[in-house]
Amino acid sequence: MGTVICPHATREFERIKENHATLASTGCTRDFCQGGRIIHTDEPRVGENRSIASVEHDAEGFLRELHSEGFFPSEEAFQERVKRALYEIRAGAIEGIIRETKERGLIGGNWLQTPAEIEFGIRRSWRNARKCIMRSHCEELTLCDLRTVTSSAKMAVELVKALNKAFNDGNIQPTVFVFPPRTPNNRGPMVWNDQLLTFACYELEDGTLLGDPKNLNFTKELLELGWVPPAKKTRFDLMPVVVMAEGDLPVVVELPANLRRLIEIRHPRYPEAFEKLDLKWAAFPALSRLGYDIGGVQYTATPFIGWFMDAEIGVRNLADFFRYNVLPDVVKAMGLADAAMVTADVDSFEDLPEFEKLAALSRAQGELNYAVQHSYIREKVTMSDSLTASIKFQRYDDEYQKKHGYRLPSDPFWVAPPQGSIVPLWHRGAAPNYQPKPMICRHVQDPSKAWKRERSGWPLAAAKFFSAANM
């Protein structure tokens, strides 16, 4: 008999398998761990054909999870619901290429889920999101059911209306806007933006970039669609949203002014320095290229609005060297390296010893993050700070372990806030990295490339443009 190296981990994994009918791949094997990668090579996706057996398995597992939570009044009601779902999956099944096997076979159809079932599914998907620290709020997540919307134009109109309601003038209600699921052999509806509020990036004549480098390709795609940027370009130009229903051409919509509101980043103790920096950010995050896999039904267009955690902006978006890279500017504006430059007898920050640069950049990072939190509080827009979010998640995870005998799935690369060891969650060990369903995942296709493959069958016009003002 082989030796069990870690009996505790083995028992924990057995409990996890007992409580989750389906565990999706996390991309790691005995020989190759992808824990250090941001995106694992074989993470599950939505937008793919799956065998009828796979869809049936996921549907029954999801309904069984609902049953375990008291969703059905009796065993008979549960069995009847399973029977109906399996009938719909088989009735909608068609021939096609199954992505997993790359062979032709019978693809499972969709089954019609009730709004209550979908809301349970999106909440469980958020709880199962191993890369998110904000999961303690998963029961607050609400559903905006837009499954009757089947055209791109209607997608644009309904999304703007629903987004405005969820933003609620800054008192944000976490909401998922669920458009129809993909049908077998089709891509499903899609949103092109990775966030509904995202800043353009322009490549200037001298080769430098103006704006958010993350969005260079998307900016080019928008320009190809016919978008006209502001006459005076800045580094914080919000781009429009591109939506594309299944079987329809893309629609470009400019969000109304109240949703395009930018928060000016100011520091109460260094007002002149931060006014000179003129930093700003969008009022809310709205992830929009992720989908939901709920009971074998693939929802490919599910924009989500929540609220920012301070470090997303102050430590990452504005500070990362491959994004806005503003920390050297903060150091200069606040004079954080002046004394060190005099002591070292050098003329520039770049000439300082590395340990002096690190000290100045670390101070700048802390002050920038503080300014971000202060600015959102000042503007009365919901935001969480890293320390509070960390404490809430630890408490939520501890309660979950006490109840179930194992911890929530966690990818340490993502869950620990980027401030490092000063935040308690950074030290947390022994969290299992597994992926239950229902789940949130990326689309198997890039929306722009999908459109380019399809557009030969459409008229010459590349896209329709809408303005929120005339909706």
Side-chain angles (χ1 to χ4, degrees), residues 424-470:
L425 190 58
W426 188 86
H427 298 275
R428 192 144 188 138
N433 189 10
Y434 60 101
Q435 183 56 70
K437 289 186 177 183
M439 64 180 294
I440 303 169
C441 48
R442 294 177 172 83
H443 200 292
V444 73
Q445 296 191 65
D446 176 274
S448 174
K449 292 178 181 177
W451 164 242
K452 287 175 182 177
R453 287 191 292 268
E454 296 172 11
R455 68 181 178 185
S456 59
W458 289 94
L460 187 60
K464 294 179 182 178
F465 284 77
F466 281 76
S467 170
N470 54 34

Side-chain angles (χ1 to χ4, degrees), residues 355-371:
F355 78 96
E356 292 282 14
K357 290 182 187 176
L358 179 61
L361 290 170
S362 298
R363 171 80 186 281
Q365 185 185 77
E367 297 295 353
L368 174 58
N369 204 56
Y370 178 87

Side-chain angles (χ1 to χ4, degrees), residues 230-343:
K232 185 179 180 181
K233 300 181 179 68
T234 74
R235 57 180 176 164
F236 295 110
D237 290 343
L238 280 173
M239 291 186 285
V241 175
V242 185
V243 295
M244 186 168 64
E246 185 172 273
D248 200 356
L249 75 170
V251 159
V252 183
V253 58
E254 292 278 3
L255 297 179
N258 66 308
L259 295 178
R260 294 168 61 84
R261 167 185 173 190
L262 300 183
I263 307 298
E264 295 183 345
I265 309 302
R266 298 293 183 262
H267 199 303
R269 292 193 289 274
Y270 305 98
E272 292 181 5
F274 274 78
E275 187 172 351
K276 180 180 178 182
L277 288 165
D278 192 28
L279 303 176
K280 55 196 72 173
W281 205 255
F284 58 87
L287 294 168
S288 47
R289 274 181 67 175
L290 295 174
Y292 281 76
D293 184 348
I294 301 174
V297 180
Q298 301 176 51
Y299 297 99
T300 54
T302 54
F304 161 79
I305 180 175
W307 55 79
F308 279 114
M309 187 172 73
D310 53 3
E312 292 180 75
I313 303 168
V315 182
R316 300 300 313 279
N317 299 340
L318 287 174
D320 278 343
F321 70 90
F322 51 87
R323 296 288 296 283
Y324 276 87
N325 193 30
V326 303
L327 291 185
D329 297 330
V330 176
V331 168
K332 183 177 180 181
M334 294 181 63
L336 298 179
D338 291 353
M341 287 164 58
V342 171
T343 301

Side-chain angles (χ1 to χ4, degrees), residues 110 265 381:
N110 288 327
I265 309 302
V381 174

Side-chain angles (χ1 to χ4, degrees), residues 42-55:
D42 68 342
E43 286 185 355
R45 300 286 196 271
V46 291
E48 59 187 21
N49 288 335
R50 296 175 186 165
S51 69
I52 189 169
S54 172
V55 177

Side-chain angles (χ1 to χ4, degrees), residues 10-266:
T10 301
R11 288 194 301 271
E12 183 177 49
F13 185 51
E14 289 302 321
R15 285 192 292 269
I16 290 169
K17 289 193 294 184
E18 288 171 6
N19 285 274
H20 296 285
T22 303
L23 291 178
S25 171
T26 60
C28 295
T29 69
R30 286 179 178 272
D31 303 315
F32 181 55
C33 177
Q34 299 193 63
R37 286 181 164 172
I38 293 179
I39 299 175
H40 299 178
T41 53
D42 68 342
E43 286 185 355
R45 300 286 196 271
V46 291
E48 59 187 21
N49 288 335
R50 296 175 186 165
S51 69
I52 189 169
S54 172
V55 177
E56 288 177 338
H57 177 269
D58 284 2
E60 188 166 357
F62 174 64
L63 290 171
R64 194 170 297 282
E65 186 173 1
L66 282 166
H67 188 35
S68 70
E69 295 291 333
F71 195 85
F72 300 106
S74 65
E75 178 67 22
E76 291 74 17
F78 163 64
Q79 293 295 342
E80 186 60 32
R81 187 68 184 103
V82 171
K83 182 179 177 181
R84 180 65 192 176
L86 296 180
Y87 169 78
E88 292 175 6
I89 291 167
R90 292 162 189 164
I94 62 173
E95 289 282 332
I97 302 298
I98 298 170
R99 184 171 183 266
E100 186 176 4
T101 63
K102 305 295 190 296
E103 296 178 354
R104 194 164 189 82
L106 196 59
I107 302 163
N110 288 327
W111 56 286
L112 183 61
Q113 297 170 336
T114 67
E117 288 168 345
I118 297 177
E119 188 161 74
F120 178 89
I122 62 175
R123 289 175 176 176
R124 279 300 160 93
S125 296
W126 192 8
R127 195 184 76 177
N128 293 338
R130 55 198 175 89
K131 298 179 180 180
C132 182
I133 191 179
M134 302 294 291
R135 286 176 274 170
S136 59
H137 295 277
C138 67
E139 295 303 320
E140 302 168 29
L141 187 62
T142 63
L143 166 70
C144 179
D145 190 350
L146 299 172
R147 287 178 293 166
T148 60
V149 176
T150 56
S151 73
S152 300
K154 190 68 171 174
M155 277 183 75
V157 172
E158 294 302 321
L159 179 58
V160 170
K161 286 164 55 178
L163 189 62
N164 195 54
K165 181 180 179 182
F167 177 56
N168 193 26
D169 292 327
N171 186 19
I172 297 167
Q173 171 60 53
T175 305
V176 180
F177 314 103
V178 177
F179 290 98
R182 75 177 285 271
T183 55
N185 287 335
N186 291 299
R187 59 167 163 78
M190 302 177 81
V191 179
W192 287 34
N193 313 54
D194 68 341
Q195 295 249 7
L196 295 181
L197 297 178
T198 192
F199 296 108
C201 180
Y202 312 105
E203 191 167 8
L204 306 181
E205 292 183 0
D206 62 0
T208 59
L209 300 179
L210 177 67
D212 191 343
K214 177 176 73 75
N215 298 319
L216 179 60
N217 288 336
F218 181 52
T219 305
K220 292 177 179 177
E221 290 167 356
L222 261 177
L223 293 170
E224 289 177 10
L225 285 176
W227 176 60
V228 179
K232 185 179 180 181
K233 300 181 179 68
T234 74
R235 57 180 176 164
F236 295 110
D237 290 343
L238 280 173
M239 291 186 285
V241 175
V242 185
V243 295
M244 186 168 64
E246 185 172 273
D248 200 356
L249 75 170
V251 159
V252 183
V253 58
E254 292 278 3
L255 297 179
N258 66 308
L259 295 178
R260 294 168 61 84
R261 167 185 173 190
L262 300 183
I263 307 298
E264 295 183 345
I265 309 302
R266 298 293 183 262

